[in-house]
Amino acid sequence: MDGAYKMEDRTSLVKGAQDIAKEVKRQTVKKVNKTVDKAQDGYTQRSYNRFQGDEDAEYYTEGGNYDGEANEDEGSSEATEGHDEDDEIYEGEYQGIPNTEQNKDGVAALGHPNQDDYKDRRELETERKADEEELAQQYELIIQECGHGRFQWALFFVLGMALMADGVEVFVVGFVLPSAETDICIPNSGSGWLGSIVYLGMMVGAFFWGGLADKVGRRQSLLICMSVNGFFAFLSSFVQGYGFFLFCRLLSGFGIGGAVPVVFSYFSEVLAREKRGEHLSWLCMFWMIGGIYASAMAWAIIPHYGWSFSMGSAYQFHSWRVFVVMCALPCVSAVVALTFMPESPRFLLEVGKHDEAWMILKQIHDTNMRARGQPEKVFTVNRIKTPKQIDELIEIDNDTGTWYKRCYVRVRTELEGIWLTFMRCFNYPVKDNTTKLAAVWFTLSFGYYGLSVWFPDVIKHLQAEEYATRRKTFEFERVSDINFNFTLENQVYSNGIFINDRFTMMKFKSVTFEDTLFKNCYFEDVTTLSTYFRNCTFMDTKFFNTDLEPYKYSGSRFINCTFEHNKTGCQISFDDDYSAYWIYFVNFLGTLAVLPGNIVSALLMDRIGRLTMLGGSMILSGISCFFLWFGTSESMMIGMLCLYNGLTISAWNSLDVITVELYPTDRRATGFGFLNALCKAAAVLGNLIFGSLVIITKAIPILLASTVLIS
């Protein structure tokens, strides 16, 4: 009995202690609520006074005024990162005060009902919109206080490497295509796919990575997309089959597609408005540097066999593969440098991560102040407005215990979120902006990329016509007992007879034999390029170690002939190939020509305005197209190409600045990614249309490009 009474007493004591703990907890919550309400009322009143233009109102700290400068007696920036010997908190130090939303969430977690539960989604979105407007004003003031200095310049070069990788990717396929066609036996019908597949990957990648940047962050999205690009670009240099090479370039383009929308969204969010146009224009120069880098590497590597090696007869690592590896270096450098950079604080505030954003803004401020030699300036911001976070319900099945089902739910949720964010780009008030920007992006891309592919093709066509005028024709020639050990180039033999002739250690380049008889001849170590034997007859002829494949003997007959050690597959050759160097040189000049346009747009963007720069550049570019009527030689066409690129770049720079400024933070990268994807679709369409009109006429491409640019 005594034991039973003791157990009852112990149970009573436990229940009594629990009741006391509950009462203490309830009283503590009430006190916290009162304290939070008082702090919020004071903060709201100070914020209202500040945004009404009352410069003397208290805004950031309870004991100081916000005037963009700190008191010299407030202590150094390094000192504010810790406490003094008496464990006193310095003024200006972040004291761990959560924002309003965090307090409310905490109270709700202790058992108090959350008032948001009784509001519909429309009311919550209205409140969030008001919060975003207040945050936009406050954030601009904070960025101005942080200043422009070492941090922005460090991020400038890091993001510039990513943009440089995008510029390299555009040129890589065009430079390696002639070599890859012969090295991995790309059929003529497949060479066009290789050029278009990269733009297709970039189109999908721009939309996906831009949307992902609004969900997981600018830095995180950029790191992933650049890693994908670097991995598959590096892998494509080692594959031997055409199909796998095409697949790698597709995924490489998919990765690099996110570079442009994420880079501009990222960098614009750490710039004050008065510096945004200028520094975004300077950032565009890295795309030009990427083109110059690709041209220089192609000229130095691809035509030279010294850069290649082989591992048996099955694996050949030619010089163009070394070039592909070198072109992946800017991407790899960008990935490594990005690991040392923080996330965009504007994005963190948008998703409610107040403390992380505050720490990054303080890092920006302190870095810039130390670089200026003013470490005594203190970051005076204590609390930043964060928009109201609207919970998104996720439907989860009962059977989601397995890892792959959880991954599927996560991926599906992210894709649905990207799509919903994209659809919000067509809601008021950004619907009109999206429509107008889409029209400008499409027309500018269609004209620019269409003419970009048309210019080189026209130059090649002019070269081919000039080359054809120097062609030598021999008819009814009888050649006997001659040892050919030199190069035959740009010749046509018709109805000829070759008897007892030897063709050893020689090259045929652009040579055609028609209705010709070869009797008792010997071919050894022969290399051919654009050489064909049409309707010829071979009698008692031996072929040893040649690359003469069946498709080069269309309609020919062989009587008592032997073939030994024939070279199979495609043979790559750049010896005496003047056109390869010429292609690299033309692209180098065309890319370098945008330098004056970049400088002009950077200096005038913030002075004359974005729209003025955009309209003026597009009109001048359209007018310059009319001068193509007079392009009758290679030098004149190259001059027109440089003029057109130099005038168009200002339009591209201003369009990039306008795009990042017209979209709110929660849709900025998504909207930019959609427009960039539309740009790549217009590029593919322009390549197809303009490329098919090279030989037909010059009138249609000129009128088409001028119309879309000026209109």
Side-chain angles (χ1 to χ4, degrees):
M1 294 292 294
D2 293 340
Y5 284 125
K6 290 181 180 180
M7 291 295 295
E8 291 180 359
D9 293 341
R10 185 176 302 173
T11 304
S12 300
L13 289 174
V14 171
K15 291 183 178 180
Q18 291 177 347
D19 294 338
I20 293 173
K22 290 181 180 179
E23 184 63 26
V24 171
K25 186 176 182 180
R26 188 179 297 108
Q27 295 298 327
T28 303
V29 169
K30 289 182 179 180
K31 292 181 180 180
V32 170
N33 290 341
K34 292 179 181 180
T35 304
V36 169
D37 292 339
K38 290 180 181 180
Q40 176 62 16
D41 292 341
Y43 171 74
T44 304
Q45 182 63 33
R46 291 193 299 273
S47 300
Y48 177 79
N49 294 336
R50 180 64 183 86
F51 289 117
Q52 290 296 322
D54 187 1
E55 298 181 355
D56 296 330
E58 295 180 353
Y59 185 70
Y60 290 100
T61 59
E62 297 184 0
N65 298 327
Y66 177 78
D67 57 359
E69 297 182 1
N71 193 331
E72 295 180 356
D73 297 333
E74 289 177 339
S76 65
S77 182
E78 289 85 359
T80 61
E81 297 179 0
H83 302 290
D84 59 7
E85 296 178 355
D86 298 330
D87 199 30
E88 295 179 355
I89 299 177
Y90 284 97
E91 181 182 4
E93 177 191 359
Y94 180 63
Q95 302 175 15
I97 302 175
N99 59 6
T100 307
E101 287 73 14
Q102 290 172 328
N103 288 331
K104 290 183 179 179
D105 294 341
V107 174
L110 293 175
H112 287 254
N114 195 335
Q115 295 181 358
D116 291 347
D117 296 339
Y118 304 101
K119 297 180 181 179
D120 59 15
R121 189 174 183 86
R122 183 174 299 179
E123 293 179 355
L124 294 175
E125 290 179 349
T126 302
E127 294 181 10
R128 177 179 173 85
K129 183 178 179 181
D131 293 342
E132 289 175 346
E133 293 176 355
E134 183 177 347
L135 171 61
Q137 300 178 40
Q138 184 184 6
Y139 188 80
E140 180 67 23
L141 296 174
I142 294 173
I143 288 296
Q144 291 178 3
E145 179 184 354
C146 291
H148 187 92
R150 177 179 294 174
F151 179 87
Q152 280 83 358
W153 284 113
L155 186 62
F156 172 81
F157 286 104
V158 173
L159 297 181
M161 294 298 295
L163 200 60
M164 178 180 172
D166 180 82
V168 170
E169 188 73 19
V170 173
F171 290 94
V172 166
V173 172
F175 288 159
V176 305
L177 187 57
S179 305
E181 284 179 335
T182 56
D183 189 19
I184 57 180
C185 301
I186 299 178
N188 293 331
S189 59
S191 59
W193 272 106
L194 185 57
S196 301
I197 201 70
V198 175
Y199 283 105
L200 180 62
M202 295 174 74
M203 178 178 65
V204 179
F207 181 81
F208 176 77
W209 298 114
L212 192 66
D214 284 331
K215 300 292 292 182
V216 303
R218 283 71 165 112
R219 173 182 175 273
Q220 188 75 6
S221 178
L222 189 60
L223 267 174
I224 299 174
C225 77
M226 297 301 294
S227 299
V228 170
N229 170 252
F231 175 77
F232 285 100
F234 185 77
L235 183 63
S236 67
S237 66
F238 293 94
V239 300
Q240 296 292 306
Y242 170 62
F244 198 19
F245 180 77
L246 203 66
F247 175 75
C248 289
R249 297 315 303 183
L250 171 66
L251 293 183
S252 175
F254 172 75
I256 200 62
V260 172
V262 180
V263 161
F264 282 99
S265 299
Y266 192 173
F267 195 50
S268 66
E269 292 172 354
V270 296
L271 295 174
R273 178 173 176 78
E274 65 268 12
K275 294 183 177 294
R276 193 175 299 146
E278 176 185 354
H279 289 275
L280 287 178
S281 298
W282 290 125
L283 184 66
C284 292
M285 292 187 64
F286 280 93
W287 198 93
M288 174 200 71
I289 296 174
I292 294 176
Y293 174 82
S295 302
M297 290 294 102
W299 177 83
I301 296 175
I302 294 180
H304 303 290
Y305 280 108
W307 292 88
S308 62
F309 63 90
S310 61
M311 298 174 62
S313 59
Y315 188 85
Q316 302 290 329
F317 197 87
H318 290 296
S319 56
W320 70 268
R321 299 179 182 274
V322 180
F323 166 73
V324 173
V325 173
M326 295 299 296
C327 286
L329 293 182
C331 177
V332 175
S333 302
V335 171
V336 174
L338 272 171
T339 58
F340 299 96
M341 303 307 297
E343 180 57 82
S344 166
R346 185 66 176 86
F347 168 79
L348 294 175
L349 292 171
E350 193 70 27
V351 297
K353 297 182 179 180
H354 175 274
D355 293 359
E356 296 179 32
W358 186 92
M359 294 297 294
I360 294 173
L361 288 170
K362 185 177 185 300
Q363 175 188 351
I364 296 174
H365 175 275
D366 293 349
T367 301
N368 292 339
M369 293 304 109
R370 284 194 294 266
R372 292 181 182 179
Q374 299 174 328
E376 70 279 0
K377 285 195 173 183
V378 180
F379 186 54
T380 59
V381 179
N382 274 346
R383 185 181 298 173
I384 308 172
K385 183 66 177 180
T386 56
K388 181 179 293 296
Q389 303 301 305
I390 302 176
D391 296 331
E392 297 181 359
L393 298 178
I394 303 174
E395 182 180 356
I396 302 179
D397 297 333
N398 294 330
D399 188 15
T400 56
T402 56
W403 66 269
Y404 58 87
K405 289 188 176 181
R406 289 195 299 269
C407 292
Y408 169 75
V409 172
R410 178 65 182 272
V411 171
R412 186 186 66 181
T413 303
E414 293 295 337
L415 292 178
E416 290 176 353
I418 292 173
W419 180 256
L420 291 176
T421 305
F422 166 67
M423 295 305 296
R424 290 174 59 205
C425 293
F426 294 91
N427 294 340
Y428 180 83
V430 298
K431 178 180 179 180
D432 292 340
N433 295 338
T434 301
T435 305
K436 295 175 182 178
L437 285 172
V440 176
W441 273 89
F442 186 86
T443 54
L444 183 59
S445 303
F446 181 79
Y448 177 80
Y449 286 102
L451 286 181
S452 295
V453 73
W454 185 74
F455 271 117
D457 288 344
V458 169
I459 293 175
K460 291 179 183 178
H461 182 63
L462 293 174
Q463 287 179 340
E465 289 182 343
E466 193 271 337
Y467 189 72
T469 59
R470 295 186 284 108
R471 181 174 299 155
K472 297 180 180 180
T473 303
F474 302 91
E475 294 183 353
F476 303 101
E477 291 283 336
R478 180 183 176 91
V479 182
S480 60
D481 300 318
I482 299 297
N483 184 14
F484 293 89
N485 56 3
F486 48 87
T487 300
L488 293 180
E489 180 179 359
N490 198 17
Q491 298 178 7
V492 176
Y493 291 87
S494 178
N495 298 298
I497 299 176
F498 291 84
I499 300 177
N500 296 325
D501 295 314
R502 295 176 61 87
F503 302 88
T504 59
M505 302 293 293
M506 65 167 301
K507 297 178 181 179
F508 291 98
K509 183 177 180 181
S510 299
V511 180
T512 302
F513 296 92
E514 297 176 347
D515 301 311
T516 301
L517 172 64
F518 293 87
K519 185 177 181 181
N520 197 24
C521 294
Y522 182 73
F523 292 82
E524 180 181 0
D525 294 327
V526 173
T527 304
T528 61
L529 180 65
S530 300
T531 298
Y532 303 96
F533 298 84
R534 296 189 177 100
N535 301 320
C536 296
T537 301
F538 296 87
M539 299 177 62
D540 301 319
T541 300
K542 184 177 181 179
F543 299 87
F544 181 84
N545 195 30
T546 66
D547 64 352
L548 298 174
E549 297 192 48
Y551 74 91
K552 298 182 179 181
Y553 300 107
S554 60
S556 298
R557 296 184 306 159
F558 297 89
I559 302 173
N560 195 24
C561 298
T562 58
F563 294 84
E564 296 181 7
H565 300 286
N566 266 20
K567 301 176 183 177
T568 59
C570 305
Q571 305 298 322
I572 184 172
S573 175
F574 266 100
D575 290 352
D576 303 323
D577 191 358
Y578 169 74
S579 60
Y581 293 95
W582 186 250
I583 292 173
Y584 310 145
F585 181 69
V586 170
N587 281 276
F588 174 80
L589 291 180
T591 307
L592 188 63
V594 305
L595 178 60
N598 267 317
I599 296 175
V600 171
S601 61
L603 297 178
L604 299 181
M605 185 73 70
D606 293 322
R607 298 183 181 180
I608 67 175
R610 285 82 160 128
L611 292 176
T612 303
M613 179 72 69
L614 175 62
S617 178
M618 293 186 70
I619 291 175
L620 292 176
S621 300
I623 294 175
S624 68
C625 291
F626 288 104
F627 290 99
L628 296 175
W629 289 104
F630 308 101
T632 57
S633 64
E634 296 179 29
S635 58
M636 292 184 66
M637 293 302 298
I638 294 174
M640 294 298 102
L641 171 65
C642 295
L643 176 63
Y644 177 76
N645 287 348
L647 293 173
T648 310
I649 192 62
S650 298
W652 282 113
N653 293 354
S654 56
L655 189 58
D656 291 334
V657 177
I658 291 173
T659 302
V660 297
E661 291 183 337
L662 287 184
Y663 282 106
T665 305
D666 61 340
R667 282 162 279 182
R668 179 172 293 130
T670 301
F672 205 127
F674 161 68
L675 295 172
N676 200 254
L678 191 66
C679 164
K680 299 304 183 290
V684 174
L685 184 62
N687 289 346
L688 295 176
I689 294 177
F690 283 77
S692 62
L693 298 173
V694 172
I695 304 177
I696 301 175
T697 178
K698 290 197 303 184
I700 297 179
I702 292 173
L703 293 176
L704 193 59
S706 301
T707 302
V708 297
L709 289 172
I710 296 177
S711 62

